Amino acid sequence: MRLLFLAVLRPHTGNAVTAQRVRFAVAFTESMKEMAQAQWPHAKGKVYVQSQGIATTPNAAFNWNTFLQRSEINQSADNLHIFLLICGLRQVKDPLYLVDAFSAWHQEEPNVHLVIVGPEVDPVFTREVKAKVKRAAGVRLIGEMPQEDLHAVVKNCFAVVNSSVSEGMSAAILEAMDLEVPVLARNIPGNAAVVKHEVTGLLFSNPQEFVHLAKRLVSDPALEKEIVVNGREYVRMYHSWQVERDTYQQLIRKLEGSTED
């Protein structure tokens, strides 16, 4: 569960900010709100629901061919399909979850590639990921990129993938929807809160199901189009960055007003 706390700190012993001192908490979903109130019953009435807002800014000057070269992907391959996994290299993101299954699929169909993009958060785990990817055909690992370049990569790829063990609300999923790119996400509560299967994206429960759904998406342009249209509309309706900004501004004004009393 991911919560953003807005708190007025008062002098006290120690540095821990307890739930009793929190003035407001913001949860991404109603289920997160319920979990927070169950954990902190005294916080009832303090928890507000506001979905994460999304704004995408792809770099118009980004060179897709250069990116493919950097990723050592053959640009001349017919019907090239790039699946993009965006995550920091840490265990909760589980970037190796799909590697074996995807590599086996690539050996059957060399035009499909999985590119993992993200910062090296956990040095020990990063070494494990690099070693595994180095041995996996059709899987590439790229370091952290500027946000505008990353949005350009999303815009050009075939689909965005999420394989996390746990998520609050994945910005990468919402950004892909905003950029009209289909999403395949691991079926966990945080992902299922924003991805409705076969409507705004596809949910998988194991690597084999991922490959099955990915193949289906590649071979069914009508399904791809429907998911893209629905995903874009969903983000426009429920993940406006302006609405998110207004919510936090209102909460900050409440905090400022209460401190003046």
Side-chain angles (χ1 to χ4, degrees), residues 83-149:
F83 291 78
L84 191 68
L85 174 57
I86 304 167
C87 67
L89 300 187
R90 52 196 180 105
Q91 292 186 343
V92 71
K93 296 298 184 180
D94 210 0
L96 298 178
Y97 183 65
L98 300 172
V99 167
D100 287 338
F102 198 101
S103 186
W105 180 28
H106 170 80
Q107 292 178 66
E108 296 174 6
E109 301 181 39
N111 60 322
V112 297
H113 295 264
L114 176 65
V115 178
I116 304 170
V117 179
E120 300 178 2
V121 179
D122 180 336
V124 175
F125 185 61
T126 293
R127 289 195 291 272
E128 180 184 341
V129 172
K130 286 182 175 180
K132 179 81 172 181
V133 169
K134 190 175 182 180
R135 301 190 300 268
V139 182
R140 297 290 184 267
L141 181 62
I142 301 294
E144 189 174 11
M145 303 177 67
Q147 187 178 53
E148 291 186 353
D149 288 352

Side-chain angles (χ1 to χ4, degrees), residues 3-241:
L3 292 174
L4 175 63
F5 292 98
L6 304 178
V8 175
L9 301 181
R10 296 181 175 86
H12 60 90
T13 302
N15 294 319
V17 179
T18 65
Q20 289 92 337
R21 294 187 179 92
V22 169
R23 298 300 307 275
F24 302 111
V26 179
F28 285 150
T29 65
E30 286 290 344
S31 62
M32 286 184 181
K33 176 181 177 179
E34 291 170 4
M35 289 171 62
Q37 292 181 155
Q39 186 170 352
W40 303 302
H42 51 272
K44 191 173 183 180
K46 295 181 179 180
V47 185
Y48 292 77
V49 176
Q50 174 56 58
S51 297
Q52 185 172 194
I54 290 299
T56 54
T57 54
N59 179 1
F62 186 82
N63 192 309
W64 177 241
N65 289 332
T66 299
F67 174 79
L68 293 178
Q69 290 173 359
R70 178 185 170 193
S71 305
E72 299 180 344
I73 293 174
N74 182 5
Q75 304 167 61
S76 63
D78 293 335
N79 300 315
L80 188 65
H81 292 91
I82 305 298
F83 291 78
L84 191 68
L85 174 57
I86 304 167
C87 67
L89 300 187
R90 52 196 180 105
Q91 292 186 343
V92 71
K93 296 298 184 180
D94 210 0
L96 298 178
Y97 183 65
L98 300 172
V99 167
D100 287 338
F102 198 101
S103 186
W105 180 28
H106 170 80
Q107 292 178 66
E108 296 174 6
E109 301 181 39
N111 60 322
V112 297
H113 295 264
L114 176 65
V115 178
I116 304 170
V117 179
E120 300 178 2
V121 179
D122 180 336
V124 175
F125 185 61
T126 293
R127 289 195 291 272
E128 180 184 341
V129 172
K130 286 182 175 180
K132 179 81 172 181
V133 169
K134 190 175 182 180
R135 301 190 300 268
V139 182
R140 297 290 184 267
L141 181 62
I142 301 294
E144 189 174 11
M145 303 177 67
Q147 187 178 53
E148 291 186 353
D149 288 352
L150 183 58
H151 288 169
V153 173
V154 171
K155 184 87 176 157
N156 282 277
C157 76
F158 175 72
V160 164
V161 179
N162 181 291
S163 59
S164 296
V165 174
S166 176
E167 284 282 359
M169 183 170 284
S170 169
I173 286 177
L174 298 176
E175 287 167 354
M177 291 179 178
D178 191 53
L179 291 167
E180 302 181 333
V181 173
V183 170
L184 295 102
R186 192 169 179 172
N187 193 359
I188 57 175
N191 288 344
V194 295
V195 178
K196 186 174 181 181
H197 187 58
E198 297 184 341
V199 178
T200 58
L202 298 172
L203 294 171
F204 59 88
S205 298
N206 55 62
Q208 293 69 37
E209 186 177 17
F210 164 80
V211 173
H212 171 75
L213 291 172
K215 287 181 176 180
R216 181 181 166 196
L217 191 62
V218 167
S219 63
D220 190 345
L223 175 63
E224 178 192 1
K225 182 178 180 180
E226 181 179 1
I227 285 174
V228 163
V229 170
N230 291 338
R232 177 68 169 129
E233 183 62 23
Y234 167 76
V235 169
R236 285 180 174 176
M237 289 182 65
Y238 298 107
H239 296 278
S240 162
W241 68 266

